[in-house]
Amino acid sequence: MAKTVIIEQTGGPEVLKVVDRDVGAPGPGEIRIRHEACGLNFIDTYQRSGLYKLDLPHALGMEAAGIVDAVGEGVTHLAPGDRAAYAAMPPGAYAEARVMPATQVCPLPEAISFEEGAAMMLKGLTVQYLFHRTSPLGPGDTVLFHAAAGGVGLIACQWARSEGIRLIGTAGGPEKCRLAEEHGAEACIDYRSEDWVARVRELTDGKGVQAVMDGVGKDTFSGSLDCLAPLGMMMSFGNASGPVPPVDISQLAAKGSLKVTRPTLFTHIADHATCQEMGRMLMEKVGGGDVRIRIDQRFALDDVTEAHRALEARRTTGSTILTV
C-alpha cells in the first residue's frame, strides 16, 4: 500500500484527497518506484480544475524522484536499486510509490539529490525543448521569458546564460525580478509597475526579440506578439492565467510574419531515445553547475492542498516539492 493523492471530481484545491492504494507489481515495460520527493507544477492544477481532462477518479502529479524497486519484462535501462527521476504520463507522481511505464524514467546521477531530481525534470526538460527543439537559438539571440522567477523561469535564466543567449524576464514585484537577474536574466521587468511591452522594445533598441517563451497564457499572449522581431517565434507553452483566446492569424502577418507554436513537453519526450537524450543534457547542465535547482517551498504529501493554494496564488518562487 502507498499513500496517494487523487481527485474524484474536478474543482479547487479542496478536491484533493490522500488515500491508501495498492501498488502491485510492474508488468512488461513498467517499473515500480518508491519516491523520495515529488514535484509540483502548474499542469497539476490544470488537471485538478478540469482545464485538462482526466478520467476520474485519477491520481495527480507528473514528476518525482526515488529508487527503482522492481522492473518488468523488457526494461533494460533501469534495474532494481537504481536512483531515478522522471516527468511522465500518466499522472500519479503524488504518491509514496507507484507502478508506471519505464519509457520516460531517467537514471539519476549520485551528484544530483532526490529533491533536485523531483524539482527539475518537468521544468528542466521544458527548458531544454524551448531552447533546443522549438526554434533555432544561439549566442547573441534575445528571448523574452515570462514568469522568470518561477521554477521553469529560474532554470531558463541560467540555461540562457550558459549558452550566451540574452534573456529578458518579467515577474511580479521587485524581489522576484531581482531573483531572476541573480540567476542570469540580463534584465527583468516588473509587470506590476512597468509597461513591459514598451520596456522590451527599449531594451532591444526597438528591434524586438527572436523568441518569446510564455507559460502565462491569456494575460500576456497579445503583448508578447508585440515584443517579437520580424520572423520571431511565439512559444506559448502554458496557461497560468487562463487559456489563450482565439487568434486572428492575419495579425501574425501584420506584425512581421510571426510564427506561433503551442508545444507540450509530452510530445517531445514520447520517444524513449529522445527523452533519455534530453534527460542527459539536463543532468549535465545541473551536474556541471551551469544550472542550480532552487527549491523554495517544501510541503508534506499530506499538505498537498495548501501547496496547490500557494502555487495558484503566486506565493511561490523557484521550485516546490512534496516530501514523502
Side-chain angles (χ1 to χ4, degrees):
M1 302 297 288
K3 191 180 292 184
T4 305
V5 178
I6 68 166
I7 56 169
E8 297 175 328
Q9 63 187 48
T10 58
E14 69 279 357
V15 303
L16 296 164
K17 290 186 175 182
V18 181
V19 300
D20 287 321
R21 276 190 163 184
D22 183 37
V23 179
E30 295 181 331
I31 64 165
R32 184 171 65 218
I33 183 169
R34 298 201 172 273
H35 293 149
E36 297 289 331
C38 314
L40 187 75
N41 296 281
F42 256 103
I43 191 172
D44 307 341
T45 71
Y46 305 157
Q47 292 165 345
R48 188 211 70 226
S49 70
L51 179 62
Y52 292 177
K53 303 298 183 185
L54 295 175
D55 293 330
L56 301 178
H58 210 296
L60 287 190
M62 305 296 285
E63 70 176 341
I67 298 173
V68 177
D69 187 53
V71 301
E73 180 183 352
V75 177
T76 59
H77 71 293
L78 295 166
D82 283 354
R83 306 171 84 251
Y86 65 85
M89 292 285 280
Y94 291 178
E96 292 175 325
R98 70 183 294 198
V99 168
M100 64 180 295
T103 298
Q104 295 165 338
V105 183
C106 300
L108 183 68
E110 291 283 350
I112 301 174
S113 72
F114 288 117
E115 288 196 349
E116 290 171 321
M120 78 183 205
M121 293 300 289
L122 191 145
K123 303 171 188 68
L125 291 173
T126 296
V127 172
Q128 197 278 346
Y129 84 66
L130 290 173
F131 280 88
H132 288 272
R133 294 174 56 83
T134 309
S135 185
L137 291 170
D141 286 336
T142 303
V143 303
L144 172 64
F145 200 101
H146 291 297
V152 181
L154 292 183
I155 294 174
C157 290
Q158 297 171 84
W159 199 291
R161 179 173 59 188
S162 77
E163 299 193 349
I165 296 170
R166 181 189 185 201
L167 186 145
I168 299 169
T170 68
E175 290 184 7
K176 287 189 175 183
C177 286
R178 190 159 46 247
L179 188 61
E181 290 171 353
E182 288 171 356
H183 283 74
E186 180 177 296
C188 190
I189 305 161
D190 183 354
Y191 65 79
R192 293 177 179 172
S193 62
E194 295 185 73
D195 179 337
W196 54 269
V197 175
R199 183 72 175 128
V200 169
R201 284 289 172 179
E202 180 184 333
L203 288 168
T204 58
D205 297 324
K207 297 175 182 177
V209 300
Q210 281 70 55
V212 177
M213 300 174 180
D214 186 350
V216 175
K218 177 174 66 70
D219 290 352
T220 50
F221 186 88
S222 178
S224 292
L225 295 180
D226 292 331
C227 293
L228 283 166
L231 306 179
M233 171 66 84
M234 173 66 184
M235 307 178 193
S236 179
F237 68 94
N239 323 284
S241 66
V244 175
V247 177
D248 178 359
I249 197 169
S250 68
Q251 289 297 305
L252 303 181
K255 292 177 185 292
S257 301
L258 304 180
K259 295 165 282 188
V260 176
T261 184
R262 179 56 175 91
T264 71
L265 171 62
F266 298 103
T267 305
H268 285 279
I269 65 173
D271 176 73
H272 171 70
T274 301
C275 177
Q276 299 299 315
E277 179 186 348
M278 291 171 65
R280 282 191 291 272
M281 178 179 279
L282 170 60
M283 290 178 191
E284 287 171 3
K285 289 280 189 185
V286 175
D290 285 336
V291 172
R292 180 171 59 88
I293 304 302
R294 182 181 175 118
I295 302 169
D296 286 346
Q297 297 80 212
R298 292 171 174 82
F299 295 86
L301 192 63
D302 286 331
D303 296 328
V304 63
T305 298
E306 179 53 35
H308 271 235
R309 289 192 177 115
L311 185 65
E312 289 183 299
R314 303 193 182 186
R315 298 199 310 264
T316 65
T317 55
S319 296
T320 302
I321 62 167
L322 303 173
T323 56
V324 179

